[in-house]
Coordinates of all heavy atoms in Angstrom, one line a residue:
M1 N 58.3 98.5 148.2 CA 58.9 98.7 146.9 C 60.3 98.1 147.0 O 61.1 98.3 147.9 CB 59.1 100.2 146.6 CG 59.8 100.4 145.4 SD 60.4 102.0 145.0 CE 59.0 103.0 144.7
A2 N 60.6 97.3 146.0 CA 61.9 96.6 145.9 C 62.8 97.4 144.9 O 62.4 97.9 143.9 CB 61.8 95.2 145.5
Y3 N 64.1 97.4 145.3 CA 65.1 98.0 144.3 C 66.4 97.3 144.4 O 66.6 96.5 145.3 CB 65.3 99.5 144.7 CG 65.9 99.8 146.0 CD1 67.3 99.9 146.1 CD2 65.1 99.9 147.2 CE1 67.9 100.1 147.3 CE2 65.7 100.1 148.4 CZ 67.1 100.2 148.5 OH 67.7 100.4 149.7
Y4 N 67.1 97.5 143.4 CA 68.4 96.8 143.2 C 69.5 97.8 143.1 O 69.5 98.7 142.2 CB 68.4 95.8 142.0 CG 69.7 95.1 141.7 CD1 70.0 94.0 142.5 CD2 70.5 95.5 140.7 CE1 71.2 93.3 142.3 CE2 71.7 94.8 140.5 CZ 72.0 93.7 141.3 OH 73.2 93.1 141.1
N5 N 70.5 97.7 143.9 CA 71.6 98.6 143.9 C 72.9 97.8 143.6 O 73.3 96.9 144.3 CB 71.8 99.3 145.3 CG 72.8 100.4 145.2 OD1 73.3 100.7 144.2 ND2 73.0 101.0 146.4
D6 N 73.5 98.1 142.4 CA 74.6 97.3 142.0 C 75.9 98.3 142.1 O 76.1 99.1 141.2 CB 74.5 96.9 140.5 CG 75.6 96.0 140.1 OD1 76.3 95.5 140.9 OD2 75.8 95.8 138.8
V7 N 76.6 98.1 143.1 CA 77.8 98.9 143.3 C 79.0 97.9 143.2 O 79.1 96.9 144.0 CB 77.8 99.6 144.7 CG1 79.1 100.4 144.9 CG2 76.6 100.5 144.8
A8 N 79.9 98.2 142.3 CA 81.1 97.3 142.1 C 82.0 97.6 143.3 O 82.2 98.7 143.8 CB 81.8 97.7 140.8
R9 N 82.5 96.5 143.8 CA 83.4 96.6 144.9 C 84.7 97.2 144.4 O 85.1 97.0 143.2 CB 83.7 95.2 145.5 CG 82.5 94.7 146.2 CD 82.9 93.4 147.0 NE 84.0 92.7 146.4 CZ 83.9 91.4 146.1 NH1 82.9 90.7 146.4 NH2 85.0 90.8 145.6
R10 N 85.4 97.9 145.2 CA 86.6 98.5 144.8 C 87.7 97.5 144.3 O 88.4 97.7 143.4 CB 87.2 99.4 145.9 CG 88.4 100.2 145.6 CD 88.8 101.0 146.7 NE 89.8 102.0 146.3 CZ 89.8 103.3 146.5 NH1 88.8 103.8 147.2 NH2 90.7 104.0 146.1
S11 N 87.7 96.4 145.0 CA 88.7 95.3 144.6 C 88.4 94.8 143.2 O 89.3 94.4 142.5 CB 88.7 94.2 145.7 OG 87.5 93.6 145.7
D12 N 87.1 94.7 142.9 CA 86.7 94.2 141.5 C 87.2 95.2 140.5 O 87.7 94.8 139.4 CB 85.2 94.0 141.4 CG 84.7 92.9 142.2 OD1 85.5 92.0 142.6 OD2 83.5 92.9 142.5
L13 N 87.1 96.4 140.7 CA 87.5 97.5 139.8 C 89.0 97.4 139.6 O 89.5 97.5 138.5 CB 87.0 98.9 140.3 CG 87.4 100.0 139.4 CD1 86.8 99.9 138.0 CD2 87.0 101.3 140.1
V14 N 89.7 97.3 140.7 CA 91.2 97.3 140.7 C 91.6 96.0 139.9 O 92.5 96.1 139.1 CB 91.8 97.3 142.1 CG1 93.3 97.0 142.1 CG2 91.5 98.6 142.8
E15 N 91.0 94.9 140.1 CA 91.3 93.7 139.4 C 91.1 93.8 137.9 O 91.9 93.4 137.1 CB 90.5 92.5 139.9 CG 91.0 92.0 141.3 CD 90.1 90.9 141.8 OE1 89.4 90.2 141.0 OE2 90.1 90.7 143.0
R16 N 90.0 94.5 137.5 CA 89.7 94.7 136.1 C 90.8 95.6 135.5 O 91.2 95.4 134.3 CB 88.3 95.2 135.9 CG 87.3 94.2 136.0 CD 85.9 94.7 135.6 NE 85.5 95.7 136.6 CZ 84.5 96.5 136.5 NH1 83.8 96.5 135.4 NH2 84.2 97.3 137.5
I17 N 91.1 96.6 136.2 CA 92.1 97.6 135.7 C 93.5 96.9 135.5 O 94.1 97.0 134.5 CB 92.2 98.8 136.6 CG1 91.0 99.7 136.4 CG2 93.5 99.7 136.2 CD1 90.9 100.8 137.4
L18 N 93.9 96.1 136.5 CA 95.2 95.4 136.5 C 95.2 94.4 135.4 O 96.2 94.2 134.7 CB 95.5 94.8 137.8 CG 95.8 95.8 138.9 CD1 96.1 95.0 140.2 CD2 97.0 96.7 138.6
G19 N 94.0 93.7 135.2 CA 93.9 92.7 134.1 C 94.1 93.4 132.7 O 94.8 92.9 131.8
T20 N 93.5 94.6 132.6 CA 93.6 95.3 131.3 C 95.1 95.7 131.1 O 95.6 95.6 130.0 CB 92.7 96.5 131.3 OG1 91.3 96.1 131.5 CG2 92.8 97.3 130.0
V21 N 95.7 96.2 132.1 CA 97.1 96.7 132.0 C 98.0 95.5 131.7 O 98.9 95.6 130.8 CB 97.5 97.4 133.3 CG1 99.0 97.6 133.3 CG2 96.8 98.7 133.5
A22 N 97.7 94.4 132.3 CA 98.5 93.2 132.0 C 98.3 92.7 130.6 O 99.3 92.4 129.9 CB 98.1 92.0 132.9
R23 N 97.1 92.8 130.0 CA 96.9 92.4 128.6 C 97.6 93.4 127.7 O 98.1 92.9 126.6 CB 95.4 92.4 128.3 CG 94.7 91.1 128.9 CD 93.3 91.0 128.4 NE 92.4 92.1 128.7 CZ 91.8 92.2 129.9 NH1 92.0 91.2 130.8 NH2 91.0 93.2 130.2
V24 N 97.7 94.6 128.0 CA 98.4 95.6 127.2 C 99.9 95.3 127.1 O 100.5 95.3 126.1 CB 98.1 97.1 127.7 CG1 99.1 98.0 127.1 CG2 96.7 97.5 127.5
F25 N 100.4 95.0 128.3 CA 101.8 94.6 128.3 C 102.1 93.3 127.6 O 103.2 93.2 127.0 CB 102.4 94.6 129.8 CG 102.7 95.9 130.3 CD1 101.9 96.5 131.4 CD2 103.7 96.7 129.9 CE1 102.2 97.7 131.9 CE2 104.0 98.0 130.4 CZ 103.2 98.5 131.4
E26 N 101.3 92.3 127.7 CA 101.4 91.1 127.0 C 101.4 91.3 125.5 O 102.2 90.7 124.8 CB 100.3 90.1 127.5 CG 100.5 89.5 128.9 CD 99.3 88.7 129.3 OE1 98.4 88.6 128.6 OE2 99.3 88.3 130.5
A27 N 100.5 92.1 125.1 CA 100.4 92.4 123.6 C 101.6 93.1 123.1 O 102.1 92.8 122.1 CB 99.1 93.2 123.3
A28 N 102.1 94.0 123.9 CA 103.3 94.8 123.5 C 104.5 93.8 123.5 O 105.4 93.9 122.6 CB 103.6 95.9 124.5
A29 N 104.6 92.9 124.4 CA 105.7 92.0 124.5 C 105.6 91.0 123.2 O 106.7 90.7 122.6 CB 105.7 91.1 125.7
E30 N 104.4 90.6 122.9 CA 104.3 89.8 121.7 C 104.6 90.5 120.4 O 105.3 89.9 119.6 CB 102.8 89.3 121.6 CG 102.6 88.3 120.5 CD 101.1 87.8 120.5 OE1 100.4 87.9 121.5 OE2 100.7 87.3 119.4
R31 N 104.2 91.7 120.3 CA 104.6 92.5 119.1 C 106.1 92.7 119.0 O 106.7 92.6 118.0 CB 104.0 93.9 119.2 CG 102.5 93.9 118.7 CD 102.0 95.3 118.5 NE 102.3 96.3 119.6 CZ 101.5 96.4 120.6 NH1 100.4 95.8 120.7 NH2 101.8 97.3 121.6
R32 N 106.8 92.9 120.2 CA 108.2 93.1 120.2 C 108.9 91.8 119.8 O 109.9 91.8 119.1 CB 108.7 93.5 121.6 CG 110.1 93.7 121.8 CD 110.6 95.0 121.1 NE 112.0 95.2 121.3 CZ 112.9 95.4 120.4 NH1 112.5 95.4 119.1 NH2 114.1 95.5 120.7
A33 N 108.4 90.7 120.3 CA 109.0 89.4 119.9 C 108.9 89.1 118.4 O 109.8 88.7 117.7 CB 108.4 88.3 120.7
K34 N 107.7 89.5 117.8 CA 107.5 89.3 116.4 C 108.4 90.2 115.6 O 108.9 89.9 114.6 CB 106.1 89.6 116.0 CG 105.1 88.5 116.4 CD 103.7 88.8 116.0 CE 102.8 87.7 116.4 NZ 101.4 87.9 115.9
Q35 N 108.6 91.4 116.1 CA 109.5 92.4 115.4 C 111.0 91.8 115.4 O 111.7 91.9 114.4 CB 109.5 93.8 116.1 CG 108.3 94.5 115.9 CD 108.2 95.8 116.7 OE1 109.0 96.0 117.7 NE2 107.3 96.7 116.4
R36 N 111.4 91.2 116.5 CA 112.7 90.7 116.6 C 112.9 89.5 115.6 O 113.9 89.4 114.9 CB 113.1 90.2 118.0 CG 113.7 91.3 118.9 CD 114.1 90.7 120.2 NE 113.1 91.1 121.1 CZ 112.4 90.2 121.9 NH1 112.7 88.9 121.9 NH2 111.5 90.6 122.7
I37 N 111.9 88.7 115.5 CA 111.9 87.5 114.6 C 112.0 88.0 113.2 O 112.8 87.6 112.3 CB 110.7 86.6 114.8 CG1 110.9 85.9 116.2 CG2 110.7 85.6 113.7 CD1 109.6 85.2 116.6
F38 N 111.1 89.0 112.8 CA 111.1 89.6 111.5 C 112.5 90.2 111.1 O 113.0 89.9 110.1 CB 110.0 90.7 111.4 CG 110.1 91.4 110.1 CD1 109.4 90.9 109.0 CD2 110.8 92.6 110.0 CE1 109.5 91.6 107.8 CE2 110.8 93.3 108.8 CZ 110.2 92.8 107.7
R39 N 113.0 91.0 112.0 CA 114.3 91.7 111.7 C 115.4 90.7 111.6 O 116.2 90.8 110.6 CB 114.6 92.7 112.9 CG 115.8 93.6 112.5 CD 116.0 94.7 113.5 NE 116.1 94.2 114.9 CZ 115.2 94.4 115.8 NH1 114.1 95.1 115.6 NH2 115.3 93.9 117.1
S40 N 115.5 89.7 112.4 CA 116.6 88.7 112.3 C 116.4 87.9 111.1 O 117.4 87.6 110.4 CB 116.7 87.8 113.5 OG 115.6 87.0 113.7
T41 N 115.2 87.4 110.7 CA 115.0 86.6 109.5 C 115.3 87.5 108.3 O 116.0 87.0 107.4 CB 113.5 86.2 109.5 OG1 113.2 85.4 110.6 CG2 113.3 85.3 108.2
F42 N 114.8 88.7 108.2 CA 115.1 89.5 107.1 C 116.6 89.8 106.9 O 117.1 89.7 105.8 CB 114.3 90.9 107.2 CG 114.5 91.8 106.0 CD1 113.9 91.5 104.8 CD2 115.4 92.8 106.1 CE1 114.1 92.3 103.7 CE2 115.6 93.6 105.0 CZ 114.9 93.4 103.8
T43 N 117.3 90.1 108.0 CA 118.7 90.3 108.0 C 119.5 89.1 107.4 O 120.4 89.3 106.6 CB 119.2 90.8 109.3 OG1 118.5 91.9 109.8 CG2 120.7 91.1 109.3
E44 N 119.1 88.0 108.0 CA 119.8 86.7 107.5 C 119.6 86.4 106.0 O 120.5 86.1 105.3 CB 119.4 85.6 108.4 CG 119.9 85.6 109.8 CD 119.4 84.5 110.7 OE1 118.9 83.5 110.1 OE2 119.5 84.6 111.9
L45 N 118.3 86.6 105.6 CA 118.0 86.3 104.2 C 118.7 87.4 103.3 O 119.2 87.1 102.2 CB 116.5 86.3 104.0 CG 115.8 85.1 104.5 CD1 114.3 85.3 104.4 CD2 116.2 83.8 103.9
N46 N 118.7 88.6 103.7 CA 119.3 89.7 102.9 C 120.8 89.5 102.8 O 121.3 90.0 101.8 CB 118.9 91.0 103.6 CG 119.1 92.2 102.6 OD1 118.8 92.0 101.4 ND2 119.5 93.3 103.1
A47 N 121.4 88.8 103.7 CA 122.9 88.6 103.6 C 123.2 87.6 102.6 O 124.4 87.5 102.2 CB 123.4 88.2 105.0
L48 N 122.2 86.8 102.1 CA 122.5 85.7 101.1 C 122.7 86.4 99.8 O 122.1 87.4 99.5 CB 121.4 84.7 101.1 CG 121.1 83.9 102.4 CD1 119.9 83.1 102.2 CD2 122.3 83.1 102.8
S49 N 123.5 85.7 98.9 CA 123.6 86.2 97.6 C 122.4 85.8 96.7 O 121.6 85.0 97.2 CB 124.9 85.5 96.9 OG 124.7 84.1 96.7
N50 N 122.3 86.4 95.6 CA 121.2 86.1 94.7 C 121.2 84.6 94.3 O 120.1 84.0 94.2 CB 121.2 87.0 93.4 CG 120.8 88.4 93.7 OD1 120.2 88.7 94.7 ND2 121.3 89.3 92.9
R51 N 122.3 84.0 94.1 CA 122.5 82.6 93.8 C 121.9 81.7 94.9 O 121.2 80.8 94.7 CB 123.9 82.3 93.5 CG 124.2 80.8 93.2 CD 123.4 80.3 92.1 NE 123.5 78.9 92.0 CZ 123.7 78.2 90.9 NH1 123.8 78.8 89.8 NH2 123.8 76.9 91.0
E52 N 122.3 82.1 96.2 CA 121.9 81.3 97.3 C 120.3 81.4 97.5 O 119.7 80.4 97.8 CB 122.6 81.8 98.6 CG 124.1 81.4 98.6 CD 124.8 82.1 99.7 OE1 124.5 83.3 100.0 OE2 125.7 81.5 100.2
L53 N 119.8 82.6 97.2 CA 118.4 82.8 97.3 C 117.7 82.0 96.3 O 116.6 81.4 96.5 CB 118.0 84.3 97.2 CG 118.3 85.2 98.4 CD1 118.1 86.6 98.0 CD2 117.5 84.8 99.6
A54 N 118.2 82.0 95.0 CA 117.7 81.2 94.0 C 117.7 79.7 94.3 O 116.7 79.0 94.0 CB 118.4 81.4 92.7
D55 N 118.7 79.2 95.0 CA 118.8 77.8 95.4 C 117.6 77.5 96.4 O 117.2 76.4 96.5 CB 120.1 77.5 96.1 CG 121.2 77.5 95.0 OD1 121.0 77.3 93.8 OD2 122.4 77.5 95.5
L56 N 117.2 78.5 97.2 CA 116.1 78.3 98.1 C 114.8 78.6 97.5 O 113.7 78.4 98.1 CB 116.3 79.3 99.3 CG 117.5 79.1 100.2 CD1 117.6 80.3 101.2 CD2 117.4 77.8 100.9
G57 N 114.8 79.0 96.2 CA 113.5 79.2 95.5 C 113.0 80.6 95.8 O 111.8 80.8 95.7
L58 N 113.8 81.5 96.2 CA 113.4 82.9 96.6 C 114.0 83.9 95.7 O 115.1 83.7 95.1 CB 113.7 83.2 98.0 CG 113.1 82.3 99.1 CD1 113.7 82.7 100.5 CD2 111.6 82.5 99.1
H59 N 113.3 85.0 95.5 CA 113.8 86.2 94.9 C 114.0 87.3 95.9 O 113.2 87.3 96.9 CB 112.9 86.6 93.7 CG 113.5 87.8 92.9 ND1 113.2 89.1 93.2 CD2 114.2 87.7 91.8 CE1 113.9 89.8 92.3 NE2 114.5 89.0 91.5
R60 N 114.9 88.2 95.7 CA 115.1 89.2 96.7 C 113.9 90.0 97.0 O 113.7 90.5 98.1 CB 116.3 90.1 96.2 CG 116.8 91.0 97.3 CD 118.2 91.5 97.0 NE 119.2 90.5 96.9 CZ 119.8 89.9 97.9 NH1 119.5 90.2 99.1 NH2 120.8 89.0 97.7
S61 N 113.0 90.2 96.1 CA 111.8 90.9 96.3 C 110.8 90.2 97.3 O 109.8 90.8 97.7 CB 111.0 91.2 95.0 OG 110.6 90.0 94.4
E62 N 111.0 89.0 97.6 CA 110.1 88.2 98.4 C 110.6 88.2 99.9 O 109.9 87.6 100.8 CB 110.0 86.8 98.0 CG 109.5 86.6 96.6 CD 109.5 85.1 96.1 OE1 110.6 84.6 95.9 OE2 108.4 84.5 96.1
L63 N 111.7 88.8 100.2 CA 112.3 88.7 101.5 C 111.4 89.2 102.6 O 111.3 88.6 103.7 CB 113.7 89.3 101.5 CG 114.7 88.7 100.6 CD1 116.1 89.4 100.8 CD2 114.8 87.2 100.8
K64 N 110.8 90.4 102.4 CA 110.0 91.0 103.5 C 108.8 90.1 103.7 O 108.4 89.9 104.9 CB 109.5 92.4 103.1 CG 110.6 93.4 103.2 CD 110.0 94.8 103.0 CE 111.1 95.8 103.1 NZ 110.6 97.2 102.9
R65 N 108.2 89.5 102.7 CA 107.0 88.6 102.9 C 107.4 87.4 103.6 O 106.7 87.0 104.6 CB 106.4 88.3 101.5 CG 105.2 87.3 101.7 CD 104.8 86.8 100.3 NE 105.8 86.1 99.6 CZ 106.2 84.8 99.7 NH1 105.6 84.1 100.7 NH2 107.1 84.3 99.0
V66 N 108.5 86.8 103.2 CA 109.0 85.6 103.9 C 109.3 85.9 105.4 O 108.9 85.1 106.3 CB 110.2 85.0 103.2 CG1 110.8 83.8 104.0 CG2 109.8 84.5 101.8
A67 N 109.9 87.0 105.7 CA 110.3 87.3 107.0 C 109.0 87.6 107.8 O 108.9 87.2 109.0 CB 111.2 88.5 107.1
W68 N 108.0 88.3 107.2 CA 106.8 88.6 107.9 C 106.0 87.3 108.2 O 105.5 87.1 109.3 CB 105.9 89.5 107.0 CG 104.6 89.9 107.7 CD1 104.5 91.0 108.5 CD2 103.4 89.2 107.7 NE1 103.2 91.0 109.0 CE2 102.5 89.9 108.4 CE3 102.9 88.1 107.0 CZ2 101.1 89.6 108.6 CZ3 101.6 87.7 107.2 CH2 100.7 88.5 108.0
E69 N 106.0 86.3 107.3 CA 105.3 85.1 107.5 C 106.0 84.3 108.6 O 105.4 83.6 109.4 CB 105.3 84.2 106.2 CG 104.3 84.7 105.2 CD 104.4 84.0 103.9 OE1 105.2 83.1 103.7 OE2 103.5 84.2 103.0
S70 N 107.3 84.4 108.7 CA 108.1 83.7 109.7 C 107.7 84.3 111.1 O 107.6 83.5 112.0 CB 109.6 83.9 109.4 OG 110.3 83.4 110.5
A71 N 107.6 85.6 111.2 CA 107.3 86.2 112.4 C 105.9 86.0 112.9 O 105.6 86.0 114.1 CB 107.6 87.7 112.3
N72 N 105.0 85.8 111.9 CA 103.6 85.7 112.2 C 103.1 84.3 112.1 O 101.9 84.1 112.0 CB 102.8 86.7 111.4 CG 103.0 88.1 111.8 OD1 102.7 88.5 112.8 ND2 103.7 88.8 110.9
D73 N 104.0 83.3 112.0 CA 103.6 81.9 111.9 C 102.9 81.5 113.1 O 103.4 81.5 114.2 CB 104.8 81.1 111.6 CG 104.4 79.6 111.3 OD1 103.3 79.3 111.0 OD2 105.3 78.8 111.3
L74 N 101.6 81.1 113.0 CA 100.8 80.7 114.2 C 101.1 79.3 114.7 O 100.7 78.9 115.8 CB 99.3 80.9 113.9 CG 98.9 82.3 113.5 CD1 97.4 82.2 113.1 CD2 99.1 83.2 114.6
T75 N 101.8 78.5 113.9 CA 102.1 77.1 114.3 C 103.3 77.1 115.1 O 103.6 76.0 115.7 CB 102.2 76.2 113.1 OG1 103.3 76.7 112.2 CG2 100.9 76.2 112.3
A76 N 104.1 78.1 115.2 CA 105.4 78.1 115.9 C 105.2 78.2 117.4 O 104.2 78.6 117.9 CB 106.3 79.2 115.4

């Protein structure tokens, strides 16, 4: 009678756990970087006068959207 016993080596398990932990930290770092970009963009745009925003073709109600797009721009 033949049988198959699949036991993961301890080093394989440790590598998978460390890989998962590394991905969690990478994702957190990416979110933090996006938050910094959003906050700085929003702060800079919010400091502009309504006239300056109009010159850029923006209204004050659009600032969060523009800052979000800036932070989440995939081409950057």
Side-chain angles (χ1 to χ4, degrees):
M1 174 194 292
Y3 65 92
Y4 178 75
N5 189 3
D6 186 19
V7 177
R9 294 188 330 231
R10 186 177 190 129
S11 62
D12 292 341
L13 179 62
V14 170
E15 287 177 22
R16 282 188 290 170
I17 290 172
L18 291 177
T20 301
V21 171
R23 284 190 298 278
V24 167
F25 280 111
E26 289 171 2
E30 184 178 341
R31 280 192 311 271
R32 181 73 176 124
K34 286 181 179 183
Q35 287 173 347
R36 272 187 260 125
I37 292 169
F38 173 84
R39 190 174 51 250
S40 66
T41 303
F42 181 77
T43 301
E44 290 176 18
L45 289 174
N46 199 36
L48 298 175
S49 68
N50 288 336
R51 173 60 191 226
E52 291 169 324
L53 289 172
D55 288 343
L56 295 172
L58 296 174
H59 187 268
R60 196 161 293 281
S61 64
E62 299 175 291
L63 297 185
K64 284 186 180 179
R65 178 188 56 82
V66 171
W68 185 87
E69 287 176 355
S70 173
N72 293 293
D73 186 14
L74 298 177
T75 61

